[in-house]
Amino acid sequence: MKRWTVVLGIVVIVLAVLGVWVARGLRLPPRLPAVPEELTVRAEIPGIPGARYWVGIDIEPFVRDMLEARERERKHLGLAEGAEMPPTTLLAVSGGGDKGAFGAGLLCGWTESGQRPVFKAATGISTGALIAPFAFAGPDYDKVLRTVYTSLGPSDVARKRFILAAIINDAMADNSPLWVQISRYVDEALMKKVAEEHEKGRILLVGTTNLDARQPIIWNMGKIAASGAPGALDLFRNILLASAAIPGAFPPTMFRVEVDGTPYEEMHVDGGASAQVFIYPPSMRSVAAALGQEMNRKAELYVIRNSQVRAQWAPVERRTISIAGPAIGSLIHTQGMGDLNRIYLTAQRDGLDFNLAYIDDDFTVKHTADFETGYMRALFDYGFRQGRDGYPWKKVPPMLRDVTTP
């Protein structure tokens, strides 16, 4: 009996220790108050007003800034007011995690072919957000794309947390290693280049999702780079980190904002929670017309989808986490296909020349783990060869091919 009393005492002590540890862990990560709903769209980044757009609520500020960019470009080209603008080229890079190696390789191979254009505008979501600034800055930054997408491994992106910490914290993993990588390559020199191109009327946009408001946010990265604000570089980096912050997998990024001098914090996650790829709001031209301006410029639109068309088959274990991951992946895959259809139909309406690239069935290397270096290297090389040899750009999204062609 005495022995069982001792055992019970030990169990009680262990449970008490675990209880204290859990209680400490249950304290949520700190944050300032969220922006009240009625003040949501009035919140600004201190020192950089107009840095982003609430395109799901009011796109007029976005349209006005795009019109101003056109005037800066007109001045840079030496064109008289009212003169017709020459045709241009647009780039949209999708999310896709480590499959961003495809888009990075394709762009580098495109440079090698001698046919890669200068993009008037570049947009990015998630891994596409990590690619877009370097694609926008030009071929001099191809070496960064090659290094990032052929040499990084899982430990360069995230650190796993203990399962209990993951449950009571804000994510399954810590993405501070990714912040280190972003800080290494997104430096003052890149900011200067982006700012210079912004002044020429070029446009760099990155998408995140404001989780408090459940709204997509488009950030004007050129305006941020050109602002000269003391915190511009860190803001630029944090936007890229936020855009790649897969909800639940990686922690959200917190942005300090103000309304009438009162500080708040916004919680932002992966732009892919709103869209997998974007170019501009479909109503942009009609809003411009309402402002007395026409936006009917001819353009070639290139969309890089960092994923396959077909969903990838894999058996699923009957466990909560094992089920949740594939379910979210299925939703993202389907959403991405819908985004392509929307962009295509907008391009058709607006007279843009639509061009689409994606990972085709002839890439057969197995995806055994996220951010596995060998897989990313093989995918980069696959994209590079296609870009170098002249990628056969698709003129219609796969889901609409049978509908729009004889």
Side-chain angles (χ1 to χ4, degrees):
M1 187 70 177
K2 186 176 181 180
R3 184 181 64 182
W4 285 109
T5 302
V6 172
V7 171
L8 181 60
I10 293 173
V11 170
V12 169
I13 292 172
V14 170
L15 289 176
V17 172
L18 285 173
V20 171
W21 183 68
V22 170
R24 288 178 177 174
L26 283 173
R27 287 181 293 186
L28 298 175
R31 68 169 295 186
L32 292 177
V35 181
E37 182 178 2
E38 67 275 12
L39 301 178
T40 295
V41 298
R42 293 183 54 205
E44 295 279 8
I45 300 295
I48 315 179
R52 75 272 179 82
Y53 313 104
W54 295 85
V55 292
I57 299 175
D58 178 17
I59 76 162
E60 185 174 320
F62 174 87
V63 174
R64 289 187 181 278
D65 275 2
M66 298 307 103
L67 291 171
E68 289 180 10
R70 184 175 68 181
E71 293 310 306
R72 290 196 304 274
E73 184 185 9
R74 188 190 302 278
K75 182 178 179 181
H76 173 71
L77 295 175
L79 298 176
E81 185 176 351
E84 184 177 353
M85 298 293 286
T88 192
T89 309
L90 313 175
L91 173 70
V93 190
S94 83
D98 54 8
K99 293 183 177 66
F102 168 71
L106 182 66
L107 285 162
C108 292
W110 202 355
T111 299
E112 189 78 7
S113 75
Q115 301 301 311
R116 177 174 153 185
V118 175
F119 303 110
K120 155 71 176 181
T123 73
I125 289 275
S126 196
T127 195
L130 302 179
I131 293 172
F134 302 106
F136 179 82
D140 287 347
Y141 283 86
D142 282 3
K143 57 183 178 294
V144 174
L145 292 176
R146 178 182 288 276
T147 298
V148 169
Y149 283 96
T150 64
S151 64
L152 298 189
S155 63
D156 298 307
V157 177
R159 285 194 297 266
K160 290 184 178 180
R161 289 171 170 168
F162 292 113
I163 186 65
L164 185 58
I167 292 171
I168 61 180
N169 212 309
D170 56 1
M172 298 293 294
D174 172 12
N175 62 350
S176 57
L178 180 58
W179 168 260
V180 171
Q181 298 301 326
I182 291 172
S183 299
R184 177 177 300 169
Y185 297 109
V186 177
D187 55 14
E188 292 286 359
L190 177 65
M191 288 281 284
K192 181 180 179 182
K193 176 65 175 176
V194 171
E196 289 172 351
E197 298 306 310
H198 172 80
E199 295 302 327
K200 297 175 185 176
R202 294 179 64 208
I203 302 161
L204 174 62
L205 305 172
V206 164
T208 65
T209 300
N210 182 314
L211 206 54
D212 294 313
R214 276 71 158 177
Q215 288 288 331
I217 301 296
I218 294 180
W219 298 82
N220 190 327
M221 307 300 278
K223 178 182 279 192
I224 292 167
S227 69
L233 178 57
D234 274 350
L235 176 62
F236 197 107
R237 291 167 172 170
N238 271 310
I239 293 166
L240 300 185
L241 187 70
S243 188
I246 303 168
F250 295 158
T253 299
M254 309 304 295
F255 290 95
R256 171 77 175 266
V257 297
E258 291 183 357
V259 179
D260 298 331
T262 301
Y264 299 98
E265 267 189 332
E266 294 177 347
M267 180 182 292
H268 286 243
V269 297
D270 194 336
S274 300
Q276 287 299 300
V277 63
F278 74 99
I279 186 64
Y280 57 78
S283 59
M284 181 179 75
R285 291 193 176 192
S286 62
V287 172
L291 295 172
Q293 299 287 334
E294 293 298 324
M295 298 184 78
N296 52 12
R297 188 174 181 180
K298 299 296 183 183
E300 291 181 321
L301 169 61
Y302 292 93
V303 181
I304 299 177
R305 173 174 164 80
N306 290 305
S307 184
Q308 292 91 345
V309 169
R310 296 182 185 180
Q312 301 301 293
W313 185 93
V316 178
E317 294 181 13
R318 194 170 177 178
R319 293 189 303 139
T320 302
I321 295 176
S322 299
I323 293 170
I328 293 171
S330 178
L331 177 63
I332 289 172
H333 180 87
T334 304
Q335 179 196 49
M337 298 302 290
D339 290 334
L340 294 182
N341 296 342
R342 170 178 47 79
I343 291 173
Y344 171 77
L345 294 174
T346 301
Q348 289 294 102
R349 183 199 64 189
D350 293 347
L352 307 184
D353 179 21
F354 178 88
N355 300 273
L356 170 65
Y358 52 77
I359 304 169
D360 222 326
D361 292 341
D362 57 347
F363 182 74
T364 57
V365 177
K366 296 296 182 182
H367 188 245
T368 58
D370 289 338
F371 301 101
E372 196 274 315
T373 308
Y375 173 83
M376 293 173 65
R377 191 171 294 153
L379 187 52
F380 179 95
D381 290 342
Y382 168 81
F384 180 87
R385 290 192 301 271
Q386 297 213 30
R388 180 196 60 199
D389 298 340
Y391 185 84
W393 295 90
K394 282 67 173 177
K395 307 303 291 185
V396 178
M399 293 179 69
L400 295 181
R401 190 173 299 142
D402 294 337
V403 177
T404 57
T405 58

Short mmCIF file of all heavy atoms in Angstrom, two decimals, residues 363-399:
data_model
loop_
_atom_site.label_atom_id
_atom_site.label_comp_id
_atom_site.label_asym_id
_atom_site.label_seq_id
_atom_site.Cartn_x
_atom_site.Cartn_y
_atom_site.Cartn_z
N PHE A 363 7.00 16.34 -66.08
CA PHE A 363 7.88 16.43 -64.90
C PHE A 363 7.43 15.35 -63.93
O PHE A 363 6.33 15.40 -63.38
CB PHE A 363 7.80 17.81 -64.24
CG PHE A 363 8.72 17.94 -63.05
CD1 PHE A 363 10.08 18.07 -63.23
CD2 PHE A 363 8.22 17.90 -61.75
CE1 PHE A 363 10.95 18.18 -62.14
CE2 PHE A 363 9.06 18.01 -60.66
CZ PHE A 363 10.44 18.14 -60.86
N THR A 364 8.29 14.37 -63.72
CA THR A 364 7.89 13.16 -62.99
C THR A 364 8.66 12.92 -61.69
O THR A 364 8.49 11.89 -61.05
CB THR A 364 8.04 11.93 -63.89
OG1 THR A 364 9.40 11.84 -64.34
CG2 THR A 364 7.11 12.02 -65.10
N VAL A 365 9.51 13.86 -61.29
CA VAL A 365 10.26 13.70 -60.04
C VAL A 365 9.27 13.73 -58.87
O VAL A 365 8.41 14.61 -58.78
CB VAL A 365 11.32 14.80 -59.87
CG1 VAL A 365 12.04 14.66 -58.53
CG2 VAL A 365 12.32 14.75 -61.02
N LYS A 366 9.39 12.75 -57.96
CA LYS A 366 8.46 12.63 -56.85
C LYS A 366 8.72 13.71 -55.80
O LYS A 366 9.86 14.02 -55.48
CB LYS A 366 8.56 11.25 -56.20
CG LYS A 366 8.16 10.10 -57.11
CD LYS A 366 6.68 10.20 -57.50
CE LYS A 366 6.25 9.03 -58.37
NZ LYS A 366 4.83 9.15 -58.80
N HIS A 367 7.62 14.24 -55.26
CA HIS A 367 7.69 15.24 -54.20
C HIS A 367 7.54 14.53 -52.87
O HIS A 367 6.43 14.20 -52.44
CB HIS A 367 6.56 16.26 -54.40
CG HIS A 367 6.63 17.44 -53.50
ND1 HIS A 367 5.69 17.71 -52.53
CD2 HIS A 367 7.55 18.44 -53.39
CE1 HIS A 367 6.01 18.83 -51.89
NE2 HIS A 367 7.13 19.29 -52.39
N THR A 368 8.66 14.25 -52.22
CA THR A 368 8.65 13.44 -51.00
C THR A 368 8.61 14.25 -49.72
O THR A 368 8.20 13.73 -48.67
CB THR A 368 9.88 12.52 -50.97
OG1 THR A 368 11.06 13.33 -51.05
CG2 THR A 368 9.87 11.56 -52.16
N ALA A 369 9.04 15.50 -49.76
CA ALA A 369 9.06 16.36 -48.57
C ALA A 369 9.08 17.82 -49.01
O ALA A 369 9.63 18.15 -50.06
CB ALA A 369 10.27 16.06 -47.69
N ASP A 370 8.48 18.69 -48.21
CA ASP A 370 8.45 20.11 -48.54
C ASP A 370 9.86 20.70 -48.49
O ASP A 370 10.62 20.47 -47.55
CB ASP A 370 7.55 20.87 -47.56
CG ASP A 370 6.08 20.57 -47.78
OD1 ASP A 370 5.73 20.13 -48.89
OD2 ASP A 370 5.29 20.77 -46.84
N PHE A 371 10.19 21.48 -49.52
CA PHE A 371 11.46 22.21 -49.62
C PHE A 371 12.67 21.27 -49.61
O PHE A 371 13.73 21.62 -49.10
CB PHE A 371 11.57 23.27 -48.52
CG PHE A 371 10.45 24.28 -48.59
CD1 PHE A 371 9.36 24.19 -47.72
CD2 PHE A 371 10.47 25.29 -49.53
CE1 PHE A 371 8.32 25.10 -47.79
CE2 PHE A 371 9.42 26.21 -49.61
CZ PHE A 371 8.34 26.11 -48.74
N GLU A 372 12.48 20.07 -50.16
CA GLU A 372 13.60 19.14 -50.30
C GLU A 372 14.48 19.63 -51.44
O GLU A 372 14.01 19.86 -52.56
CB GLU A 372 13.05 17.74 -50.59
CG GLU A 372 14.06 16.63 -50.39
CD GLU A 372 14.90 16.41 -51.64
OE1 GLU A 372 14.33 16.37 -52.74
OE2 GLU A 372 16.14 16.30 -51.50
N THR A 373 15.75 19.82 -51.17
CA THR A 373 16.66 20.49 -52.10
C THR A 373 16.74 19.80 -53.45
O THR A 373 16.70 20.45 -54.50
CB THR A 373 18.07 20.61 -51.49
OG1 THR A 373 17.98 21.21 -50.19
CG2 THR A 373 18.97 21.45 -52.37
N GLY A 374 16.83 18.47 -53.45
CA GLY A 374 16.95 17.74 -54.71
C GLY A 374 15.74 17.93 -55.60
O GLY A 374 15.88 18.10 -56.83
N TYR A 375 14.56 17.91 -55.01
CA TYR A 375 13.33 18.11 -55.78
C TYR A 375 13.30 19.52 -56.38
O TYR A 375 12.99 19.71 -57.57
CB TYR A 375 12.12 17.90 -54.88
CG TYR A 375 10.80 18.24 -55.54
CD1 TYR A 375 10.15 17.33 -56.35
CD2 TYR A 375 10.21 19.50 -55.34
CE1 TYR A 375 8.95 17.64 -56.96
CE2 TYR A 375 9.01 19.82 -55.96
CZ TYR A 375 8.38 18.89 -56.76
OH TYR A 375 7.19 19.22 -57.37
N MET A 376 13.62 20.52 -55.57
CA MET A 376 13.59 21.90 -56.05
C MET A 376 14.62 22.12 -57.16
O MET A 376 14.35 22.81 -58.15
CB MET A 376 13.85 22.87 -54.89
CG MET A 376 12.72 22.88 -53.86
SD MET A 376 13.12 23.86 -52.40
CE MET A 376 13.25 25.50 -53.09
N ARG A 377 15.76 21.50 -57.02
CA ARG A 377 16.81 21.65 -58.04
C ARG A 377 16.35 21.04 -59.36
O ARG A 377 16.54 21.63 -60.44
CB ARG A 377 18.10 20.98 -57.55
CG ARG A 377 19.32 21.28 -58.39
CD ARG A 377 20.56 20.75 -57.69
NE ARG A 377 20.81 21.47 -56.45
CZ ARG A 377 21.45 20.96 -55.41
NH1 ARG A 377 21.89 19.71 -55.44
NH2 ARG A 377 21.66 21.70 -54.33
N ALA A 378 15.71 19.87 -59.29
CA ALA A 378 15.22 19.21 -60.50
C ALA A 378 14.12 20.05 -61.16
O ALA A 378 14.07 20.18 -62.39
CB ALA A 378 14.69 17.82 -60.16
N LEU A 379 13.25 20.63 -60.34
CA LEU A 379 12.16 21.44 -60.88
C LEU A 379 12.68 22.75 -61.46
O LEU A 379 12.19 23.21 -62.51
CB LEU A 379 11.14 21.72 -59.77
CG LEU A 379 9.83 22.40 -60.19
CD1 LEU A 379 9.16 21.69 -61.35
CD2 LEU A 379 8.89 22.50 -58.99
N PHE A 380 13.67 23.34 -60.82
CA PHE A 380 14.30 24.55 -61.37
C PHE A 380 14.90 24.25 -62.74
O PHE A 380 14.70 25.00 -63.70
CB PHE A 380 15.38 25.08 -60.42
CG PHE A 380 16.08 26.31 -60.92
CD1 PHE A 380 15.66 27.57 -60.52
CD2 PHE A 380 17.16 26.23 -61.78
CE1 PHE A 380 16.29 28.73 -60.98
CE2 PHE A 380 17.81 27.37 -62.25
CZ PHE A 380 17.37 28.63 -61.84
N ASP A 381 15.63 23.15 -62.84
CA ASP A 381 16.26 22.78 -64.11
C ASP A 381 15.21 22.52 -65.19
O ASP A 381 15.41 22.88 -66.36
CB ASP A 381 17.14 21.54 -63.93
CG ASP A 381 18.39 21.82 -63.09
OD1 ASP A 381 18.75 23.01 -62.94
OD2 ASP A 381 19.00 20.86 -62.59
N TYR A 382 14.10 21.90 -64.80
CA TYR A 382 13.00 21.65 -65.73
C TYR A 382 12.46 22.98 -66.27
O TYR A 382 12.28 23.15 -67.49
CB TYR A 382 11.91 20.86 -65.00
CG TYR A 382 10.59 20.75 -65.71
CD1 TYR A 382 10.39 19.81 -66.72
CD2 TYR A 382 9.51 21.57 -65.34
CE1 TYR A 382 9.15 19.70 -67.35
CE2 TYR A 382 8.28 21.46 -65.95
CZ TYR A 382 8.10 20.52 -66.96
OH TYR A 382 6.88 20.41 -67.59
N GLY A 383 12.18 23.92 -65.38
CA GLY A 383 11.69 25.22 -65.81
C GLY A 383 12.72 25.97 -66.64
O GLY A 383 12.38 26.62 -67.64
N PHE A 384 13.99 25.87 -66.24
CA PHE A 384 15.06 26.57 -66.95
C PHE A 384 15.15 26.09 -68.40
O PHE A 384 15.25 26.90 -69.33
CB PHE A 384 16.39 26.36 -66.24
CG PHE A 384 17.55 27.06 -66.91
CD1 PHE A 384 17.85 28.37 -66.60
CD2 PHE A 384 18.33 26.40 -67.86
CE1 PHE A 384 18.91 29.03 -67.22
CE2 PHE A 384 19.38 27.04 -68.48
CZ PHE A 384 19.67 28.36 -68.16
N ARG A 385 15.14 24.77 -68.60
CA ARG A 385 15.24 24.23 -69.96
C ARG A 385 14.08 24.72 -70.83
O ARG A 385 14.28 25.08 -72.00
CB ARG A 385 15.25 22.70 -69.93
CG ARG A 385 16.53 22.09 -69.36
CD ARG A 385 16.60 20.60 -69.63
NE ARG A 385 15.47 19.88 -69.05
CZ ARG A 385 15.46 19.39 -67.82
NH1 ARG A 385 16.51 19.56 -67.03
NH2 ARG A 385 14.39 18.74 -67.36
N GLN A 386 12.89 24.74 -70.25
CA GLN A 386 11.73 25.17 -71.04
C GLN A 386 11.82 26.65 -71.38
O GLN A 386 11.50 27.07 -72.49
CB GLN A 386 10.45 24.86 -70.26
CG GLN A 386 10.26 23.37 -70.01
CD GLN A 386 8.81 22.98 -70.01
OE1 GLN A 386 7.96 23.58 -70.67
NE2 GLN A 386 8.49 21.96 -69.26
N GLY A 387 12.25 27.47 -70.41
CA GLY A 387 12.40 28.89 -70.69
C GLY A 387 13.48 29.16 -71.72
O GLY A 387 13.31 30.00 -72.61
N ARG A 388 14.58 28.44 -71.62
CA ARG A 388 15.71 28.63 -72.56
C ARG A 388 15.34 28.22 -73.98
O ARG A 388 15.72 28.88 -74.96
CB ARG A 388 16.90 27.80 -72.07
CG ARG A 388 18.14 27.88 -72.95
CD ARG A 388 19.09 26.75 -72.61
NE ARG A 388 18.45 25.45 -72.84
CZ ARG A 388 18.88 24.31 -72.29
NH1 ARG A 388 19.92 24.31 -71.49
NH2 ARG A 388 18.25 23.17 -72.56
N ASP A 389 14.58 27.13 -74.08
CA ASP A 389 14.27 26.58 -75.40
C ASP A 389 13.01 27.18 -76.02
O ASP A 389 12.63 26.81 -77.14
CB ASP A 389 14.10 25.05 -75.30
CG ASP A 389 15.38 24.35 -74.83
OD1 ASP A 389 16.46 24.97 -74.95
OD2 ASP A 389 15.29 23.22 -74.33
N GLY A 390 12.37 28.09 -75.32
CA GLY A 390 11.17 28.73 -75.84
C GLY A 390 9.92 28.04 -75.34
O GLY A 390 9.39 27.13 -75.99
N TYR A 391 9.45 28.47 -74.18
CA TYR A 391 8.31 27.80 -73.56
C TYR A 391 7.07 27.90 -74.46
O TYR A 391 6.76 28.99 -74.98
CB TYR A 391 7.99 28.41 -72.19
CG TYR A 391 6.90 27.66 -71.47
CD1 TYR A 391 7.19 26.52 -70.73
CD2 TYR A 391 5.58 28.08 -71.57
CE1 TYR A 391 6.18 25.81 -70.08
CE2 TYR A 391 4.57 27.38 -70.92
CZ TYR A 391 4.87 26.25 -70.19
OH TYR A 391 3.87 25.55 -69.57
N PRO A 392 6.34 26.80 -74.65
CA PRO A 392 5.10 26.84 -75.46
C PRO A 392 3.93 27.39 -74.64
O PRO A 392 3.10 26.64 -74.12
CB PRO A 392 4.88 25.37 -75.83
CG PRO A 392 5.46 24.61 -74.67
CD PRO A 392 6.66 25.42 -74.21
N TRP A 393 3.86 28.69 -74.50
CA TRP A 393 2.86 29.32 -73.64
C TRP A 393 1.45 28.91 -74.05
O TRP A 393 1.10 28.93 -75.24
CB TRP A 393 2.99 30.84 -73.68
CG TRP A 393 4.28 31.33 -73.11
CD1 TRP A 393 5.46 31.52 -73.77
CD2 TRP A 393 4.53 31.65 -71.73
NE1 TRP A 393 6.43 31.96 -72.90
CE2 TRP A 393 5.89 32.06 -71.64
CE3 TRP A 393 3.75 31.66 -70.59
CZ2 TRP A 393 6.48 32.45 -70.44
CZ3 TRP A 393 4.32 32.06 -69.39
CH2 TRP A 393 5.67 32.45 -69.32
N LYS A 394 0.65 28.53 -73.06
CA LYS A 394 -0.73 28.13 -73.31
C LYS A 394 -1.60 29.38 -73.43
O LYS A 394 -1.50 30.30 -72.62
CB LYS A 394 -1.26 27.26 -72.17
CG LYS A 394 -0.80 25.81 -72.22
CD LYS A 394 0.67 25.62 -71.97
CE LYS A 394 1.04 24.13 -71.86
NZ LYS A 394 2.51 23.94 -71.68
N LYS A 395 -2.49 29.37 -74.40
CA LYS A 395 -3.32 30.54 -74.67
C LYS A 395 -4.67 30.50 -73.97
O LYS A 395 -5.38 31.51 -73.94
CB LYS A 395 -3.55 30.68 -76.19
CG LYS A 395 -2.27 30.67 -77.02
CD LYS A 395 -1.29 31.76 -76.61
CE LYS A 395 -1.78 33.15 -76.95
NZ LYS A 395 -0.76 34.18 -76.64
N VAL A 396 -4.99 29.34 -73.36
CA VAL A 396 -6.26 29.16 -72.68
C VAL A 396 -6.02 28.32 -71.43
O VAL A 396 -5.26 27.34 -71.47
CB VAL A 396 -7.29 28.45 -73.58
CG1 VAL A 396 -8.61 28.22 -72.86
CG2 VAL A 396 -7.53 29.25 -74.86
N PRO A 397 -6.63 28.64 -70.29
CA PRO A 397 -6.50 27.80 -69.10
C PRO A 397 -7.04 26.38 -69.37
O PRO A 397 -7.98 26.22 -70.15
CB PRO A 397 -7.35 28.51 -68.05
CG PRO A 397 -7.46 29.91 -68.52
CD PRO A 397 -7.45 29.84 -70.01
N PRO A 398 -6.46 25.37 -68.74
CA PRO A 398 -6.87 23.98 -69.00
C PRO A 398 -8.36 23.73 -68.85
O PRO A 398 -8.96 23.02 -69.65
CB PRO A 398 -6.07 23.18 -67.97
CG PRO A 398 -4.91 24.04 -67.64
CD PRO A 398 -5.38 25.45 -67.76
N MET A 399 -8.99 24.31 -67.82
CA MET A 399 -10.40 24.03 -67.57
C MET A 399 -11.32 24.67 -68.60
O MET A 399 -12.49 24.27 -68.72
CB MET A 399 -10.79 24.51 -66.17
CG MET A 399 -10.12 23.73 -65.04
SD MET A 399 -10.57 24.33 -63.40
CE MET A 399 -12.30 23.84 -63.31
#
